[in-house]
Structures are given as structure tokens and as C-alpha cells.
Amino acid sequence: MAGDLPFEKPLVEMRKKIAELKQFGVEKEIDFSDEIARLEERYRLLEEEIYSNISPSQKMHLARHHGRPTSLDLIGLIFTDFIELHGDRLFGDDLAVVGGIGKLEGIPVTVIGHQRGKDTKDNIARFFGSPHPEGFRKALRLMQQADKFRRPIITFIDTKGAYPGNTAEERGQSEAIARNLREMSGLGVPVVCVVIGEGGSGGALAMAVGNRVLMLEHAIYSVISPNGAASILWKDASKADQAAEAMKITADDLLAMEVIEEVIPEPKGGAHRDYESTASAIKDVIVRHLHDLAGLDADELKEDRYRKFRKIGEFAESQAAEEVFSEEPALSPE
Amino acid sequence: MFKDLFQKKRKYATVPSQRLEQTKEPAEGERPKREIPEGLMSKCPKCGSIQYSKELEKNLKVCSECGHHLRLNAPERIAVTLDPGSFIEFDAGMKSVDPLGFPGYSTKLEQQQLKSGQIDAVITGQGSIGGHPVIAAVMNFEFFTGSMGSVVGEKITRAIEEATEKKLPLIIFSTSGGARMQESILSLMQMAKTSAALARFGESGGLYISVITDPTTGGVSASFATLGDINIAEPGAVFGFAGRIVIEQTIRQKLPDDFQTAEFNLQHGQLDMVVHRKEMRSTLSKILELHDVKGGF
């Protein structure tokens, strides 16, 4: 199968063996059906073993799989009557972010997502899914529009991070992200965010301040890409796998830390193996969470979101600080 | 409750000036360029001119030759900015833990505490500037490059909430390399937490002045540092989201020297003003005064 990852190699080899045996049986007109059945059973067991023990670094590769469904793939399968809307009204239209209005089970909603390209050309046009400030500002514009018309907001998170370029800096990358964080906290409609691939740093969070934050089973979400962490911590970007293990970036890790509310199971082998069942699983979970949130008014939704993020963080508090300062100030104001 | 704990005010700003040189120690085998009695003289990291440490400190650690603003640690910043004796610290005993069991984090925390004499990368509290009461949060680059983990996020959020409750102006002096990797996703979430607290503070009508000092990047620049009603930076302060090296690798071009400086940001509309350290107290005081009266006529 195309796009197999290194850890799937034993499965690939076994599939090859089964196919060869089948072929051989046909050519020589020998009945191998017992052997084939036995091999297929062993294949199922091996598959079970491999896919139920996917390590964080293997998940990182799954989350970045080129065949993984993108926001637009999922939007097409989950929503009806989708109309894409463009532009931030300030500078341009960043194709690394897509958004618009569609219907979910007949109810109008606003849906926004990071958009990776499907091929090299598309990826270049979409900056590999890494937004400039205008991408975040487009997202915010559409969210505020949703707020005005009382539409629930669904966001799909799938980015390596905000675009690290001079043009992005000149136009206020920091400000665009920070503003989204602040403004999203004040939205009076339900906000449900789903990390579908890679949730990379501030560029992911800038569209993920939701009442509910959910993750696909093999999605990852972290403060810095494992590659970036490895190059800073160990001066070696090739230690990304090691960093991925240390950083607790998987959906299960984030669920345990109460950063996300739910993990959405993926088809065996990952979302790229079956778009439709992936989309349908996501849809069911989003609909359930929107039903849960339906009873809350605007203020309660804001309060719910505030509380969700307010409680995140681990620290220790002691009664008195250590005496670490010495006696006399060396500097004094003029 | 806090009062009882923290009334016994500590004296701030007592960092021997030789610490500045420690980072600049010559590599082994390299001949030290000049023999300077430790602590007596200081060298400007920008122009290299040598000056008396005492003179430099009197000059608020601004180089008398080139005007370069040397980094201040949090106690020094409090000493040169707030009214003497006015500062009462909040949450002084709050400490980082190692929530992920991240390799080497606990040891690194201890080393940072020993090196900087600080418990974590921010000091928060209440004080006054030119007689105007303020809630202040002052970050410390000396501690773990000012990185924001749970402690920084929590202390800043509590300070913002305190300002909201007491209806006092808020000033945050930022300096940070970004989010603290060793706390991974928990660090990232501090960006959302602090920004949400600022949204509430803003709704209540509170004044927030963000003072950006060298350097302010990453998760701090992309959260509270840019969200001031008024954003001020010190001259030459590096302020941006992505690091220069990462950007140069992305665009495969060399960036101009002034890229991401305060002046660059002022030119690109990201700042209200660039203020010399000597003028900072009076500028803040003036802004606070202009906000004393709300409404009018």
C-alpha cells in the first residue's frame, strides 16, 4: 500500500508473502487456501499488535502522513452546503487557512481549518499549512462573523506552526496570534476544535481556544515541533523521535493532562486509510459536544471556556520564598 | 492573607555586576583580551567599551558610549522603575514542578535557581510609579531565558486577576525566549490562559501597559506582551515571534541587522513607542496619570 511508514514494514512484508503465495497457487494450480488463511490470521494478529502499540514518534509520522485527510477533505465529508469565504479585509487571503459556512446535520455552522497542500504546488501556495498573520486574521474575522449570527464554530487544527518568515514578522505575527487567543476567549457561541494532524505551537493554539478541544487518535499537539525541540535541547534535529517521546504530545497524553476532552478513534492504520470513516467519527463527536453545549448561553460559554484554560498548569506553592536576595539594592531610580 | 506573607519586604536589585561577564568568559586556551579586576569594570556587549561598573549602574545599565540598553534582571527592573519601597510581592513561593518527568528538567531548574538567585522567571506584585498604584509583573531573562512554564503563566494570570479585582492599572515587563519546552503543552496553554485573563481585564475597563524589553519572543510575544492598550519597548530590544536563525533558514536570506528590533517594530506599526530607560519611569507615570480620570466633560 502506498505511504507505508517504517514501523509498518513487517505488515508490508507479510502482505507481499500472502500475495506471492496466492499468485503461486494460481500459476501452479495448487490449493494453498489453508496456508493463506493461516497467514491472513497471523497478519491480523500482527496488525493488532503493531497498531495497538504505536509510539509517540510513530504517531508523529502518522500525523504528518502526506495522505492524511486535510481540513478541506474533512469539510467536504462532514458538512453540507459549504461555502468558502476568503480574506482578512486587511492585507490578503492566506491559503494556509480555509474557512466558511456550512451545515452540520442541517444547522448552519462556521468551520475554519489550517490547510496543508495536497501536492508540492498546492503546498507552496498554502505555505505548507503555516499561516501568516492574515491567515489568523481571516480566521478571527470568520469567528466574529459566526458570533454575530450565533453560529457554532468548528475549527480543524493541522499545522507545523505559524509561518516563520520576515513578511509574517513585519505584519505582526505575534499580534495576530495573541489577538486570536484573547478574542476567542470572549466568543459567545460554542467553539469546538479538533486537532486532525499536527498541532504545532502558537500557530495551532491561535485557532484552538475552544470550549472543547478534541484530537484524532494519532494527532499530535505540542509547544514546539519535536524537531525544533531536539535541535534546541540536544543541538541535533535528527533526534526528533527522542524529543517526541519526552514531550508528551499524543492525544492520550493530552487527555491525561486534561488539556483535551476526548480522543477520536481512527481507522486501523490511521486516518489516511479511510477518509470516510474518519470523517464520520469526527462528525459524531462534534455533534455530541455541540448538543452538550447547546444549553449554555453566551456568558456561560465564555465562562466555560475561561475555566477550561484557567485551570491548566502544574506548580507547587510554599509559604515563604527562599531568601535569595541580599541586603542592599545596587541600583536605584533616578 | 498575602500581606502577612509578603509584607516583610525584601530589598531588590542586588546583582553583582560581574554576572554580566560570566556569560562572556573566554574559551579555554583563548587569551583573555584584558585583565579586569572582577566586578570593578564592565564591558558593553554591543560596542565593547569598558566602563566602571558603578558608573554603568548609575546610568541604569545603559552604555554611556553607544546607548545600548543592557539587560536588567527582575529585581533590578523593579528597583529602577517602581517607587522605592513600594513593591509588595505576590506568590513569592510559587515553584515549578516537573509535570512531564522531562529528562534533565529538575536539575536544570535547580541550576537556574542557583545561578540567578530567583525561583522562577517572573516576579509579580503591587507597587507604585510616581505615586500611581499599579499591579506589576516583571519577567527575568536570567532565569531559564525567561521561558514561560506553568509558574510564569499562573503568576501573571493571578496578577491580571488581582488588577481586575482591585481596579488597578497593570504593567507587564516582558522578556522571554518563549514557552518552556520542558513543560510542553502545559506551557503552550499558558498563552491562552494569560490572554483570556487579559480579555476579562480589558472588559472591566482596566489599563494594561506592556513594556517589551530585550529580548521578547515566541510564546510571550505571541500572547500578553503584544496585548497592551499601550505597547512600549526599550531601544534596541529584540521583539518578534520566530527566531532570526529559523527565519533565515526558512527564507534562505540574510536578514538586516535591525530586523525585529524595537525600532523595526515601531516602523511596522507593532508598537506605540520606543522609550529610553531613563525616560521609562516618567513616561509610565504620565500614561498612568492620563488614565486617572475616566470619562470627563
Side-chain angles (χ1 to χ4, degrees):
Chain A
M1 216 175 286
D4 287 305
L5 293 169
F7 73 91
E8 297 173 293
K9 211 172 150 201
L11 291 173
V12 178
E13 278 167 5
M14 205 151 177
R15 274 203 305 270
K16 217 168 109 191
K17 217 186 267 175
I18 294 169
E20 277 169 6
L21 194 59
K22 280 181 180 165
Q23 177 76 14
F24 188 70
V26 172
E27 278 169 15
K28 303 280 173 188
E29 293 178 17
I30 307 170
D31 181 13
F32 284 122
S33 53
D34 282 357
E35 283 82 354
I36 289 169
R38 234 175 304 158
L39 276 176
E40 280 175 341
E41 178 56 25
R42 262 175 61 197
Y43 179 82
R44 267 189 294 279
L45 289 173
L46 186 65
E47 197 180 46
E48 191 61 40
E49 195 195 314
I50 286 178
Y51 288 138
S52 56
N53 292 300
I54 302 178
S55 72
S57 59
Q58 289 165 351
K59 279 177 191 274
M60 175 178 79
H61 296 293
L62 275 171
R64 293 172 174 177
H65 196 285
H66 62 84
R68 202 170 168 83
T70 65
S71 291
L72 282 176
D73 293 324
L74 295 171
I75 289 171
L77 291 165
I78 295 173
F79 305 92
T80 56
D81 304 296
F82 179 71
I83 302 171
E84 190 177 346
L85 302 172
H86 292 272
D88 68 345
R89 301 295 185 272
L90 297 161
F91 181 82
D93 185 37
D94 185 349
L95 300 179
V97 174
V98 294
I101 313 167
K103 281 186 183 170
L104 180 63
E105 305 251 286
I107 310 284
V109 296
T110 287
V111 49
I112 301 162
H114 299 96
Q115 182 63 35
R116 288 180 292 112
K118 295 298 269 188
D119 53 43
T120 308
K121 200 178 150 208
D122 196 18
N123 253 324
I124 289 167
R126 297 188 185 278
F127 290 94
F128 294 81
S130 290
H132 280 70
E134 47 272 26
F136 298 120
R137 288 171 183 148
K138 168 163 80 173
L140 183 60
R141 183 179 75 83
L142 297 179
M143 288 190 253
Q144 287 171 336
Q145 187 189 67
D147 199 14
K148 174 180 173 186
F149 296 106
R150 320 295 312 146
R151 282 192 293 267
I153 297 166
I154 289 123
T155 68
F156 292 134
I157 308 306
D158 189 16
T159 182
K160 284 195 181 345
Y163 183 72
N166 54 334
T167 48
E169 296 289 321
E170 285 164 6
R171 300 200 283 272
Q173 189 70 292
S174 294
E175 194 275 347
I177 295 171
R179 180 189 293 259
N180 277 24
L181 301 180
R182 184 183 65 193
E183 297 304 316
M184 281 188 85
S185 77
L187 292 166
V189 292
V191 182
V192 176
C193 312
V194 187
V195 186
I196 58 170
E198 189 167 8
S201 191
L205 184 64
M207 286 165 46
V209 184
N211 298 84
R212 300 285 188 272
V213 181
L214 319 167
M215 281 175 80
L216 276 179
E217 186 183 350
H218 302 313
I220 59 170
Y221 193 1
S222 66
V223 68
I224 179 171
S225 76
N227 315 58
S231 68
I232 294 172
L233 287 171
W234 303 302
K235 315 279 174 230
D236 184 356
S238 68
K239 287 187 176 160
D241 283 358
Q242 204 178 318
E245 306 284 334
M247 288 169 71
K248 306 265 190 277
I249 58 175
T250 70
D252 286 337
D253 289 328
L254 269 68
L255 186 69
M257 289 189 273
E258 296 181 29
V259 171
I260 64 164
E261 278 69 37
E262 189 168 341
V263 180
I264 305 172
E266 291 186 29
K268 204 178 280 174
H272 60 286
R273 307 247 178 224
D274 187 347
Y275 282 22
E276 278 178 23
S277 72
T278 303
S280 128
I282 295 174
K283 182 179 176 180
D284 290 348
V285 175
I286 294 175
V287 168
R288 176 157 44 77
H289 283 287
L290 285 178
H291 277 303
D292 284 352
L293 295 166
L296 304 181
D297 66 22
D299 286 340
E300 289 166 336
L301 284 166
K302 284 186 214 179
E303 181 64 28
D304 172 76
R305 213 174 301 124
Y306 191 81
R307 275 205 306 263
K308 169 177 164 59
F309 288 91
R310 181 65 187 86
K311 68 176 168 43
I312 300 178
E314 286 189 39
F315 46 86
E317 283 185 272
S318 58
Q319 286 300 299
E322 292 145 8
E323 283 299 316
V324 286
F325 302 98
S326 48
E327 295 296 279
E328 290 303 314
L331 292 170
S332 52
E334 284 196 283
Chain B
M1 167 188 79
F2 282 136
K3 269 198 183 134
D4 299 333
L5 286 177
F6 306 119
Q7 200 91 32
K8 219 178 80 200
K9 222 191 70 62
R10 270 191 251 107
K11 304 237 169 60
Y12 280 97
T14 347
V15 177
S17 48
Q18 64 261 30
R19 183 171 302 146
L20 280 171
E21 271 120 298
Q22 281 175 1
T23 51
K24 290 265 168 196
E25 265 179 309
E28 232 176 296
E30 191 184 309
R31 192 174 56 91
K33 289 200 177 76
R34 270 173 243 219
E35 292 291 339
I36 306 164
E38 217 175 299
L40 181 64
M41 306 296 282
S42 292
K43 188 175 162 190
C44 170
K46 182 124 188 254
C47 70
S49 69
I50 310 287
Q51 38 212 300
Y52 281 107
S53 298
K54 281 224 161 85
E55 280 298 310
L56 187 64
E57 277 168 16
K58 237 177 91 187
N59 210 19
L60 307 179
K61 290 205 171 172
V62 176
C63 173
S64 55
E65 291 295 316
C66 70
H68 177 65
H69 285 52
L70 281 76
R71 290 169 187 170
L72 296 183
N73 63 32
E76 288 172 330
R77 177 76 57 186
I78 291 167
V80 303
T81 316
L82 291 152
D83 296 340
S86 73
F87 189 73
I88 297 163
E89 189 177 356
F90 302 151
D91 305 311
M94 197 189 292
K95 268 182 163 176
S96 288
V97 292
D98 180 12
L100 274 60
F102 197 94
Y105 184 36
S106 299
T107 320
K108 180 117 195 242
L109 277 172
E110 276 170 32
Q111 286 168 354
Q112 292 291 320
Q113 281 158 353
L114 281 174
K115 187 196 85 170
S116 67
Q118 298 286 318
I119 298 176
D120 215 284
V122 71
I123 294 175
T124 57
Q126 183 176 336
S128 63
I129 296 175
H132 304 278
V134 291
I135 300 291
V138 186
M139 296 190 74
N140 202 333
F141 195 76
E142 278 182 3
F143 186 92
F144 226 121
T145 64
S147 57
M148 172 159 67
S150 299
V151 166
V152 171
E154 181 69 19
K155 283 176 83 169
I156 286 186
T157 304
R158 287 189 191 178
I160 298 167
E161 288 172 341
E162 188 75 5
T164 313
E165 202 170 301
K166 288 188 173 161
K167 298 193 182 304
L168 286 176
L170 169 74
I171 305 183
I172 303 180
F173 297 84
S174 292
T175 174
S176 174
R180 193 172 296 169
M181 271 183 297
Q182 290 83 349
E183 292 185 29
S184 196
I185 199 73
L186 299 178
S187 300
L188 186 71
M189 294 299 145
Q190 304 310 310
M191 295 168 64
K193 181 162 113 181
T194 51
S195 301
L198 281 175
R200 291 196 157 187
F201 177 63
E203 268 173 42
S204 75
L207 166 70
Y208 166 34
I209 306 172
S210 172
V211 182
I212 291 147
T213 66
D214 184 60
T216 298
T217 59
V220 166
S221 125
S223 60
F224 55 83
T226 17
L227 292 174
D229 295 296
I230 294 174
N231 293 337
I232 302 175
E234 282 196 331
V238 166
F239 167 43
F241 181 63
R244 168 187 279 269
I245 296 165
V246 177
I247 298 173
E248 286 182 337
Q249 281 166 356
T250 309
I251 61 168
R252 292 161 206 266
Q253 274 173 43
K254 192 110 181 69
L255 292 161
D257 283 347
D258 75 335
F259 185 69
Q260 290 181 324
T261 57
E263 295 73 15
F264 172 95
N265 276 290
L266 182 70
Q267 201 188 342
H268 285 92
Q270 302 303 319
L271 292 171
D272 289 284
M273 47 185 149
V274 177
V275 174
H276 194 285
R277 194 170 287 160
K278 278 188 179 168
E279 310 293 330
M280 191 62 83
R281 255 177 69 80
S282 59
T283 305
L284 291 173
S285 180
K286 199 169 175 184
I287 295 170
L288 290 167
E289 205 233 313
L290 286 167
H291 288 79
D292 273 352
V293 181
K294 287 182 182 133
F297 295 112

